[in-house]
């Protein structure tokens, strides 16, 4: 694998967990854009939004993507759910869209805690956000995975797809 594998999708689609399993399979590491922002700014995503607002968060994501593009290869990149709207994720590598039914996403978001996710206002607003974003995910993707609950299986399917590229 020379190019990165970039995981995109809505909040709760499993980008980080699947990315971790995929990194193991590919014998490489996972870079998670949210975690990189947390470590570089020394604050949670929620705090970042609270202190600087969404626009600054998007700028931080773009800065990070430009750095990844110039410096990173052979790596699994898991992205924040809004990243493909402002950055062409194909510039970072082979893009995999993790497609998950909305009912499942909302269940996971609520289970994991809506407080951690500053984009979550209420269920109606999240439905709208989801509708607005589907076309970005679809048009950014080189491959769409119908991601289920079996993490290893999801990672294996991506691994098999990438092997054939
Ligand atoms: C966001 C998703 C979050 C995080 C931030 C904004 C979004 O990442 O980047 O809260 O706009 O959808 P996850 O998709 O990992 O939850």
């Amino acid at each position: 694998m020379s190019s990165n594998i970039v995981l995109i999708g809505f909040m709760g689609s499993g980008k980080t967990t699947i990315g971790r399993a995929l990194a193991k399979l590919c014998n490489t590491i996972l870079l998670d854009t949210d975690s990189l922002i947390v470590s570089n700014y020394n604050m949670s995503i929620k705090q970042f939004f609270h202190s600087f607002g969404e626009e600054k968060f998007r700028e931080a994501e773009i800065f990070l993507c430009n750095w990844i593009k110039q410096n990173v290869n052979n790596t699994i990149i898991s992205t924040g759910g809004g990243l493909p709207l402002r950055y062409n994720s194909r510039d970072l590598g082979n893009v995999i869209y993790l497609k998950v039914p909305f009912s499942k996403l909302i269940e996971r978001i609520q289970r994991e805690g809506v407080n951690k996710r500053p984009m979550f206002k209420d269920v109606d607003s999240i439905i709208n956000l989801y509708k607005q974003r589907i076309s970005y995910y679809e048009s950014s993707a080189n491959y769409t995975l119908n991601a289920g609950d079996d993490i290893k299986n999801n990672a294996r399917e991506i691994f098999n797809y990438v092997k054939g590229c």
Side-chain angles (χ1 to χ4, degrees):
M1 167 179 134
S2 61
S3 159
N4 300 309
I5 302 175
V6 186
L7 303 181
I8 64 165
F10 203 68
M11 294 170 244
S13 58
K15 293 162 297 207
T16 309
T17 19
I18 295 174
R20 216 174 272 133
L22 184 61
K24 251 191 189 168
L25 268 182
C26 297
N27 199 24
T28 183
I29 65 155
L30 168 73
L31 280 190
D32 176 68
T33 60
D34 280 349
S35 302
L36 288 170
I37 290 174
V38 169
S39 55
N40 277 278
Y41 289 86
N42 193 26
M43 60 177 76
S44 68
I45 298 294
K46 187 185 173 185
Q47 283 171 320
F48 191 106
F49 269 70
H50 186 72
S51 303
F52 304 124
E54 184 183 353
E55 185 53 33
K56 288 277 176 240
F57 179 78
R58 301 301 170 203
E59 286 170 16
E61 285 187 311
I62 292 169
F63 179 82
L64 195 54
C65 286
N66 287 329
W67 180 86
I68 291 172
K69 187 180 171 190
Q70 283 175 22
N71 295 289
V72 177
N73 261 307
N74 302 306
T75 296
I76 313 301
I77 318 281
S78 65
T79 60
L83 191 141
L85 281 78
R86 293 284 294 271
Y87 187 88
N88 180 5
S89 31
R90 286 196 200 199
D91 278 357
L92 301 182
N94 203 343
V95 181
I96 316 293
Y97 167 34
L98 304 184
K99 188 173 179 180
V100 174
F102 183 76
S103 55
K104 189 92 204 162
L105 293 171
I106 196 82
E107 183 196 309
R108 286 184 187 164
I109 294 168
Q110 287 178 325
R111 196 180 49 215
E112 289 164 12
V114 293
N115 279 341
K116 283 193 302 191
R117 291 194 158 96
M119 294 301 288
F120 188 97
K121 309 277 183 277
D122 51 49
V123 175
D124 282 346
S125 68
I126 215 82
I127 292 174
N128 285 333
L129 203 62
Y130 176 74
K131 284 185 185 158
Q132 282 164 23
R133 289 180 172 184
I134 294 174
S135 62
Y136 287 92
Y137 297 141
E138 287 175 346
S139 62
S140 303
N142 297 110
Y143 183 77
T144 296
L145 173 79
N146 286 309
D149 285 328
D150 186 338
I151 305 296
K152 281 191 180 160
N153 217 22
N154 293 323
R156 171 69 56 188
E157 187 176 331
I158 299 170
F159 182 70
N160 288 339
Y161 159 72
V162 173
K163 256 195 329 195
C165 287

